[in-house]
C-alpha cells in the first residue's frame, strides 16, 4: 500500500507527521529518506507531537538513537547518518528497539538497509523545484 501526499509548507509536512504519529502502533518501524534540508526533521517533529511528546525533538547528533518516553508509546528516534559501521547498531542493541513495544523512526535508513525489518513503513521526501521552493512530495509505503 502506498500513498503520496504533496505539501507546500513546513506546517503541512508537520501535520502529516502528526497524523502518522497519532495512528502509530506499538512495534511499528518507519524509515525516512530524503536529502539534507528536505524536511525530515520537520516531519519527525510532527510524528513526535502526534505521539503526545511535548519536549522538543531534534536530530540526535551525538548518539544514534534518542529515546522519548513521555508520549502515548515510547518513541525511538534514530539518525544513522554518521554511522561508520553496522556493528554500531549491534552495540546499542537495535533489535530491542526495532522489535520492541515502541515506535522506531529511522532517518537515513538506507545506510543500514541490511538490518531493517521486512515489515516497515518507508517514507520518502523529495523536492521538485519546478513546483516551487516549498513543494515536497512525500511517499508513504507499507512494506511486508
Ligand atoms: P532535514 O532534516 O531533512 O535535513 P529539516 O527538516 O531540518 O530538513 O529542514 C527543512 C527545511 O525546509 C526547513 O527550513 C523548512 O522550513 C523548509 N521547508 C520549506 N517547505 C517545506 C515543506 N513543504 N515541508 C517541510 N519543510 C519545508
Ligand atoms: Mg534533520
Amino acid at each position: 500500500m502506498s500513498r503520496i501526499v504533496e505539501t507546500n509548507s513546513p506546517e503541512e509536512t508537520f501535520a502529516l507527521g502528526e497524523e502518522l504519529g497519532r495512528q502509530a502502533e506499538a512495534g511499528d518501524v518507519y524509515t525516512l529518506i530524503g536529502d539534507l534540508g528536505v524536511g525530515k526533521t520537520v516531519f519527525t517533529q510532527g510524528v513526535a507531537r502526534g505521539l503526545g511528546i511535548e519536549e522538543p525533538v531534534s536530530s540526535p547528533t551525538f548518539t544514534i538513537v534518542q529515546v522519548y518516553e513521555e508520549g502515548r508509546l515510547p518513541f525511538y528516534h534514530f539518525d544513522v547518518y554518521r554511522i561508520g559501521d553496522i556493528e554500531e547498531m549491534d552495540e546499542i542493541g537495535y533489535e530491542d528497539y526495532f522489535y520492541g513495544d515502541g515506535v522506531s523512526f529511522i532517518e537515513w535508513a538506507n545506510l543500514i538497509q541490511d538490518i531493517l525489518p521486512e515489515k516497515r513503513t518507508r517514507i520518502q521526501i523529495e523536492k521538485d523545484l519546478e513546483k516551487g521552493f516549498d513543494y515536497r512530495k512525500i511517499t508513504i509505503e507499507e512494506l511486508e
Side-chain angles (χ1 to χ4, degrees), residues 35-42 44 58-59 77 79 107-108:
D35 295 336
L36 217 62
V38 83
K40 296 185 297 299
T41 296
V42 169
T44 306
S58 59
S59 280
H77 181 204
D79 187 334
E107 297 195 44
W108 296 98

Side-chain angles (χ1 to χ4, degrees), residues 9-120:
S9 69
E11 290 76 18
E12 283 178 56
T13 297
F14 184 98
L16 181 65
E18 195 176 0
E19 180 192 321
L20 190 142
R22 276 197 303 265
Q23 292 167 358
E25 293 172 13
D28 279 356
V29 175
Y30 297 88
T31 64
L32 182 55
I33 34 185
D35 295 336
L36 217 62
V38 83
K40 296 185 297 299
T41 296
V42 169
F43 188 90
T44 306
Q45 287 168 341
V47 174
R49 179 63 55 81
L51 281 166
I53 295 163
E54 300 289 341
E55 73 178 281
V57 171
S58 59
S59 280
T61 311
F62 300 106
T63 51
I64 295 172
V65 62
Q66 189 83 48
V67 177
Y68 300 86
E69 302 270 14
E70 63 171 277
R72 181 171 63 81
L73 294 166
F75 182 50
Y76 310 132
H77 181 204
F78 291 79
D79 187 334
V80 299
Y81 182 65
R82 285 180 186 77
I83 203 162
D85 194 290
I86 203 94
E87 275 179 22
E88 289 177 46
M89 291 298 290
D90 292 325
E91 281 161 24
I92 62 162
Y94 75 91
E95 287 176 309
D96 292 344
Y97 298 109
F98 287 7
Y99 302 100
D101 289 331
V103 174
S104 294
F105 208 86
I106 312 155
E107 297 195 44
W108 296 98
N110 49 309
L111 298 176
I112 57 162
Q113 197 71 34
D114 291 349
I115 60 167
L116 294 175
E118 303 264 291
K119 185 171 166 30
R120 62 183 190 267

Side-chain angles (χ1 to χ4, degrees), residues 101-141:
D101 289 331
V103 174
S104 294
F105 208 86
I106 312 155
E107 297 195 44
W108 296 98
N110 49 309
L111 298 176
I112 57 162
Q113 197 71 34
D114 291 349
I115 60 167
L116 294 175
E118 303 264 291
K119 185 171 166 30
R120 62 183 190 267
T121 301
R122 182 178 181 275
I123 303 158
Q124 180 166 24
I125 311 181
E126 296 164 289
K127 290 187 187 181
D128 182 347
L129 289 176
E130 283 181 16
K131 296 189 175 171
F133 191 67
D134 291 342
Y135 171 89
R136 303 290 189 270
K137 179 182 172 193
I138 303 172
T139 308
I140 302 175
E141 207 179 343

